[in-house]
Amino acid sequence: MKITIHGSGYVGLVTGACLADVGHDVMCVDVDQVKVARLKRGEVPIYEPGLEDLIRHNMEDERLTFSDSPEEGVAHGLLQFIAVGTPPDEDGSADLTHVLGVARTIGQHMDGYRVIINKSTVPVGTADKVHQAVADTLEGRQAEAEVDFDVCSNPEFLKEGAAIEDFSRGARIVIGTDSDKVRKLMRECYAPYSRQRDKLMFMDVRSAELTKYAANAMLATKISFINEIANLAEHLGADVEQVRHGIGSDPRIGYHFIYPGCGYGGSCFPKDVKALARTASEVGAPARMLQAVETVNDAQKTRLFDKLELALHGNLKGRTIALWGLAFKPNTDDMREAPSRVLMEQLWQAGARIQAYDPEASAECHRIYGERSDLCLSKQRDAALEGADALVICTEWKAFRTVDFDKIARTLNHPLVIDGRNLFSPEDVEAAGLEYYAMGRGASLQHPRV
């Protein structure tokens, strides 16, 4: 099939590369000419394991092309995927400027039947707005012949760091449509991914749109819940890791997304929880649980600073803090809403200096914060420890899981480790003479704000 993907960000690139890899003729369109030029050279602007090789392979086999011409993109594909950003407005609602802009562009250039597919994460009712935007544009063109089209919803369920696996072997493919014609075309599109079993789940458009938000909100809720239990464990002298195993063994609960930490981040959970809560408020059905999920997460991101401040007796001015992990999660360079950013900005405000290491996100950190005298981006994990007064772990990269605790104790000026991801056994760390504070286990530090 001939397929066009509007948007070459995270979702657009993964979707385009994966669909091309199963034999479709895919064109990714982006108005950013510099980005398109880089992609044509095989330079992928984001880090996602396996994506660069997948893109290069399919470009070489001429199944995947890139263009900065929307007109060319609309002419290319029978299926027109919209995969552009929906950043949050100041009130938390999703900004549909880019989505509706693409819809108008498709309406402006289409000369025959097209299926317009919302891949972007959008509020319930967006498909209606996209349909209206296309219809209004077609009417404004005063085309000589009537041009037909359909709009459907096809939300993505990709985890950064495992996106190719999720796209290729995901549990379900949700399609929102009432059209038999669209059902047939979407079955053809995704047939290579449904050979072992039928993964396609057809439902009405609004239910598909809500399914995406509900899924992310549920996962975010699990994270905030286990973080609240971890905080409670510190007060009660319990070990949240033992609690996690105790509840995770219940198949009704499961182990996924019940790892305590320093809060969730990224491009999806924070934005989607806010947007769904805003939608609920607008229709007069306030989502009190979602509001609590967001409140808990915002507070959790300050826990690392609170623990550090208490362990160092409030004396952070002039201190140097080693920071392992900048990305919001491992296997990505994405720092959007990352707990590391909250911690760094709190430390700078307190007059501290940071020596940070991340396997992939250092360039992104430099892009965000630029050159600063109070920020050193180390090229090696252990180099970040040199001359530091404490170590704080923000991201659970595999490179941080096996370390020499005796070396850390010898290198740090102050033998202090704050582990925001519960990577280590408290007994092992403390045996090396280190003070060790994790999230809901080991030694406990209570802050007045907790």
Side-chain angles (χ1 to χ4, degrees):
M1 300 182 77
K2 286 185 175 292
I3 295 171
T4 297
I5 313 288
H6 293 271
S8 59
Y10 184 84
V11 174
L13 287 177
V14 172
T15 300
C18 288
L19 290 176
D21 200 50
V22 295
H24 294 304
D25 181 356
V26 180
M27 177 180 289
C28 290
V29 177
D30 200 291
V31 295
D32 186 336
Q33 296 180 344
V34 174
K35 182 189 287 188
V36 170
R38 289 184 61 193
L39 287 165
K40 286 182 175 180
R41 295 193 299 268
E43 300 174 13
V44 180
I46 59 173
Y47 174 74
E48 174 65 31
L51 182 59
E52 186 171 337
D53 288 342
L54 192 66
I55 288 175
R56 184 178 294 114
H57 166 68
N58 283 284
M59 287 176 64
E60 290 172 354
D61 287 353
E62 299 183 348
R63 290 190 298 267
L64 179 63
T65 57
F66 296 94
S67 175
D68 58 16
S69 168
E71 183 175 3
E72 184 180 14
V74 175
H76 174 82
L78 170 62
L79 305 186
Q80 300 276 319
F81 282 84
I82 300 178
V84 294
T86 53
D89 271 339
E90 293 181 4
D91 62 2
S93 61
D95 184 349
L96 298 178
T97 301
H98 301 303
V99 170
L100 297 179
V102 172
R104 296 185 189 98
T105 296
I106 294 171
Q108 182 64 39
H109 297 296
M110 60 190 288
D111 57 2
Y113 178 76
R114 297 290 186 274
V115 180
I116 301 167
I117 304 156
N118 272 334
K119 197 71 174 172
S120 301
T121 300
V122 293
V124 176
T126 299
D128 295 337
K129 294 180 179 180
V130 167
H131 192 283
Q132 190 62 52
V134 175
D136 289 346
T137 304
L138 287 170
E139 184 178 354
R141 282 173 49 187
Q142 297 181 338
E144 294 182 2
E146 183 177 343
V147 180
D148 194 18
F149 67 96
D150 282 302
V151 177
C152 81
S153 175
N154 175 214
E156 54 85 14
F157 299 96
L158 307 178
K159 297 188 300 291
E160 292 192 42
I164 294 172
E165 177 74 12
D166 285 347
F167 193 99
S168 303
R169 297 180 174 85
R172 77 292 204 198
I173 301 169
V174 173
I175 310 288
T177 183
D178 294 322
S179 164
D180 290 337
K181 184 176 183 179
V182 171
R183 288 190 188 96
K184 180 179 179 181
L185 290 171
M186 296 303 286
R187 280 199 179 279
E188 182 180 350
C189 174
Y190 284 112
Y193 296 112
S194 294
R195 294 187 67 186
Q196 290 186 341
R197 64 177 179 84
D198 188 1
K199 295 181 182 179
L200 272 72
M201 299 179 65
F202 289 103
M203 57 185 72
D204 66 84
V205 174
R206 287 183 169 240
S207 294
E209 291 171 334
L210 183 55
T211 295
K212 166 63 177 179
Y213 276 113
N216 278 357
M218 173 61 80
L219 298 176
T221 299
K222 293 184 72 172
I223 295 171
S224 281
F225 175 80
I226 198 63
N227 282 337
E228 284 223 310
I229 296 299
N231 297 341
L232 181 59
E234 291 185 19
H235 285 278
L236 299 176
D239 185 336
V240 76
E241 277 299 292
Q242 296 181 41
V243 175
R244 183 179 68 81
H245 284 286
I247 65 174
S249 60
D250 186 330
R252 297 171 300 174
I253 298 172
Y255 289 101
H256 294 297
F257 289 86
I258 59 167
Y259 288 86
C262 47
Y264 60 76
S267 64
C268 295
F269 287 4
K271 173 176 67 70
D272 294 352
V273 169
K274 286 184 175 71
L276 185 55
R278 179 65 184 179
T279 296
S281 176
E282 288 175 347
V283 297
R288 297 178 182 87
M289 185 177 291
L290 295 181
Q291 294 163 4
V293 167
E294 183 180 1
T295 298
V296 169
N297 192 59
D298 289 343
Q300 197 71 11
K301 291 181 181 180
T302 69
R303 295 276 289 164
L304 295 178
F305 179 83
D306 291 346
K307 289 175 180 287
L308 191 59
E309 186 179 44
L310 284 170
L312 294 176
H313 309 290
N315 182 19
L316 286 168
K317 188 173 183 179
R319 298 273 196 175
T320 297
I321 306 301
L323 180 61
W324 282 0
L326 294 166
F328 85 94
K329 64 178 289 186
N331 296 322
T332 182
D333 60 355
D334 194 343
M335 288 183 63
R336 285 174 288 185
E337 303 278 352
S340 64
R341 296 180 64 172
V342 175
L343 175 61
M344 287 193 293
E345 289 163 17
Q346 287 181 297
L347 287 171
W348 288 327
Q349 189 173 7
R353 182 176 178 273
I354 296 166
Q355 294 178 173
Y357 170 75
D358 189 285
E360 294 295 338
S362 291
E364 177 66 5
C365 185
H366 184 268
R367 185 192 69 80
I368 294 169
Y369 293 112
E371 296 288 343
R372 297 181 60 115
S373 60
D374 51 9
L375 172 63
C376 173
L377 295 171
S378 300
K379 294 184 179 180
Q380 295 181 333
R381 181 193 69 180
D382 292 346
L385 303 173
E386 298 289 341
D389 296 295
L391 167 63
V392 182
I393 301 170
C394 283
T395 315
E396 62 272 34
W397 285 96
K398 288 182 179 179
F400 304 156
R401 293 182 180 274
T402 303
V403 298
D404 184 337
F405 297 122
D406 291 323
K407 182 179 180 180
I408 293 175
R410 292 193 306 268
T411 306
L412 292 174
N413 292 339
H414 186 96
L416 173 62
V417 176
I418 309 290
D419 183 358
R421 297 298 178 183
N422 288 2
L423 294 185
F424 310 125
S425 163
E427 293 78 14
D428 292 343
V429 186
E430 291 165 358
L434 288 159
E435 288 182 64
Y436 179 70
Y437 303 101
M439 312 302 287
R441 67 189 317 227
S444 178
L445 283 169
Q446 301 305 326
H447 194 281
R449 290 204 297 267
V450 176

